[in-house]
Amino acid sequence: MPRPLVGGTRLVGRHYYLGQREVEVLTGWGPGASARNVLIRFLDTGERVVRPFRGLRIAPR
């Protein structure tokens, strides 16, 4: 497993939307100072998924 990114810790605990579903970022990692991949938890089901940070939105469309 890749090591967690120090800069990615600023994302931990923040809530975003994937489509219409609200998610919480549990950890992030990637090259450089930004998180490329994140471990998220869906708030409605509790399911955990690793996915690219790209595609998460601050508010639903």
Side-chain angles (χ1 to χ4, degrees), residues 10-29:
R10 65 178 173 252
L11 299 173
V12 173
R14 291 198 178 182
H15 292 205
Y16 291 92
Y17 288 86
L18 180 59
Q20 296 295 320
R21 297 175 69 188
E22 189 173 5
V23 300
E24 177 184 14
V25 175
L26 300 177
T27 189
W29 63 89

Side-chain angles (χ1 to χ4, degrees), residues 3-60:
R3 69 185 190 350
L5 176 69
V6 174
T9 59
R10 65 178 173 252
L11 299 173
V12 173
R14 291 198 178 182
H15 292 205
Y16 291 92
Y17 288 86
L18 180 59
Q20 296 295 320
R21 297 175 69 188
E22 189 173 5
V23 300
E24 177 184 14
V25 175
L26 300 177
T27 189
W29 63 89
S34 63
R36 179 172 292 171
N37 296 315
V38 290
L39 173 64
I40 60 173
R41 180 176 60 91
F42 290 98
L43 296 182
D44 55 355
T45 63
E47 177 186 6
R48 294 179 179 201
V49 178
V50 174
R51 60 161 285 119
F53 181 71
R54 182 184 75 242
L56 297 180
R57 304 284 180 231
I58 294 174

